[in-house]
């Protein structure tokens, strides 16, 4: 099962959600594959030992130099990572927008899964281009983090319109889940944004929210996930609840330990 974490707005918690959902998976007895599809490479820098050469990153996969399997790096306490490189920014201009390139990641992952099926999380870049389309085409479920503020509602609307354009091409509905992040229960705005999101997207809005939490914010600078930093934090608890809800809804077909 593949989940792409996408929002074309930056700073909404895509990388944070990918990282901590990956760690939650591992703690539940399911070892994930993590893909960093953002040329900024934030997830790769949190890993801490991702190589700097483009030919050991996802860029080499797009150049047809290496298979996904060859690019996997072990990630202690999580699973495996296929890292990004800033050269990924060139994928749009070099490879165009034909069906072959748009389906490249899907085909690569399908091949990888024939020998090693596992939950796969794809951390996306904050814009719609070949890379984000690759993630959307490859995923079974699109997880859309929405930071709890009014501008994020516009971003959610933008994604919904993009998906409406893509679905006739894909000939299927893109399953999606909206996840409120950086939720602050003390602010009235938080409940207001949540209610507006529910009015618009109904059941596609996840029940659980990720609260604003200092341990979540600190852990990337320590090159670790929130569980390693502070397993008893509300941030750790929230990501465990997120995993549970995704499993209960059937978005991840796994058994939790
Ligand atoms: N629940 C949270 N509580 C506190 N800080 C958070 C939370 N989620 C994200 N952040 C912080 O917000 C910033 C943006 O998050 P990030 O995951 O990098 O967003 P994106 O990948 O969408 O650009 C980071 O500094 C991150 O540590
Ligand atoms: Mg990011």
């Amino acid at each position: 099962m593949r989940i792409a974490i996408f929002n074309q707005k930056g700073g909404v918690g895509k990388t944070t959600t990918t990282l901590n959902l990956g760690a939650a998976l591992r703690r539940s007895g399911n070892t994930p594959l993590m893909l960093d599809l953002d040329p900024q490479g934030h997830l790769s820098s949190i890993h801490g030992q991702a190589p700097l050469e483009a030919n050991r990153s996802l860029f080499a996969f797009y150049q047809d130099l290496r298979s996904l399997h060859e690019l996997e790096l072990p990630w202690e306490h999580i699973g495996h990572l296929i890292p990004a490189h800033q050269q990924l920014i060139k994928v749009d201009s070099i490879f165009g927008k034909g069906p072959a390139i748009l389906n490249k990641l899907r085909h690569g992952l399908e091949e990888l899964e024939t020998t090693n099926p596992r939950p796969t999380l794809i951390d996306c870049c904050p814009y719609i281009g070949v890379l984000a389309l690759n993630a959307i085409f490859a995923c079974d479920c699109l997880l859309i983090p929405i930071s709890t503020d009014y501008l994020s509602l516009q971003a959610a609307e933008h994604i919904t319109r993009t998906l409406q354009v893509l679905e006739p091409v894909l000939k299927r509905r893109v399953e999606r889940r909206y996840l409120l992040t950086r939720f602050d229960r003390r602010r009235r705005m938080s409940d207001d944004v949540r209610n507006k999101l529910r009015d618009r997207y109904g059941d596609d809005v996840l029940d659980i929210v990720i609260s604003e939490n200092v341990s979540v914010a600190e852990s990337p600078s320590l090159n670790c996930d929130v569980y390693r930093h502070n397993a008893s934090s509300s941030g750790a608890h929230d990501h465990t609840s997120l995993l549970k809800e995704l499993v209960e809804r059937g978005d991840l077909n796994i058994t939790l330990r």
Side-chain angles (χ1 to χ4, degrees), residues 187-227:
R187 290 197 198 149
R188 212 176 49 203
M189 176 178 74
S190 299
D191 283 325
D192 197 24
V193 170
R194 172 149 57 174
N195 291 337
K196 288 199 163 77
L197 212 59
R198 280 186 175 153
D199 286 347
R200 288 179 200 178
Y201 309 116
D203 201 36
D204 286 336
V205 181
L206 291 170
D207 292 331
I208 87 107
V209 298
I210 306 290
S211 297
E212 178 78 21
N213 176 247
V214 68
S215 298
V216 169
E218 284 170 352
S219 47
S221 66
L222 303 168
N223 295 105
C224 69
D225 58 79
V226 68
Y227 298 92

Side-chain angles (χ1 to χ4, degrees), residues 114-249:
T114 55
T115 50
N116 191 356
R118 65 205 131 150
T120 299
L121 304 181
I122 310 171
D123 185 22
C124 295
C125 52
Y127 49 84
I128 281 275
V130 170
L131 294 172
L133 290 173
N134 259 254
I136 294 171
F137 281 36
C139 74
D140 302 300
C141 176
L142 195 62
L143 182 58
I144 307 169
I146 307 277
S147 59
T148 313
D149 57 66
Y150 291 114
L151 279 178
S152 292
L153 290 169
Q154 285 178 19
E157 209 42 48
H158 187 170
I159 299 176
T160 311
R161 279 199 301 274
T162 303
L163 295 177
Q164 275 165 2
V165 174
L166 289 177
E167 282 174 341
V169 181
L170 283 164
K171 300 190 179 68
R172 64 173 169 94
R173 181 171 198 271
V174 177
E175 291 303 325
R176 72 208 67 168
R177 302 286 179 234
Y178 299 88
L179 169 68
L180 280 167
T181 60
R182 310 201 68 167
F183 196 87
D184 184 345
R185 284 170 213 282
R186 291 165 306 180
R187 290 197 198 149
R188 212 176 49 203
M189 176 178 74
S190 299
D191 283 325
D192 197 24
V193 170
R194 172 149 57 174
N195 291 337
K196 288 199 163 77
L197 212 59
R198 280 186 175 153
D199 286 347
R200 288 179 200 178
Y201 309 116
D203 201 36
D204 286 336
V205 181
L206 291 170
D207 292 331
I208 87 107
V209 298
I210 306 290
S211 297
E212 178 78 21
N213 176 247
V214 68
S215 298
V216 169
E218 284 170 352
S219 47
S221 66
L222 303 168
N223 295 105
C224 69
D225 58 79
V226 68
Y227 298 92
R228 300 272 305 154
H229 180 37
N230 185 354
S232 58
S233 62
S234 69
H237 177 265
D238 286 349
H239 286 90
T240 304
S241 306
L242 168 63
L243 175 60
K244 262 193 209 147
E245 186 171 353
L246 291 173
V247 172
E248 276 163 18
R249 284 174 177 252

Side-chain angles (χ1 to χ4, degrees), residues 10-16 18 36 38 40-43 123-126:
V12 295
K14 291 182 285 297
T15 302
T16 304
T18 312
D36 188 355
D38 183 354
Q40 295 179 89
H42 291 159
L43 191 65
D123 185 22
C124 295
C125 52

Side-chain angles (χ1 to χ4, degrees), residues 73-84:
L73 297 172
W75 195 343
E76 211 187 350
H77 310 295
I78 294 190
H80 286 86
L81 168 76
I82 306 187

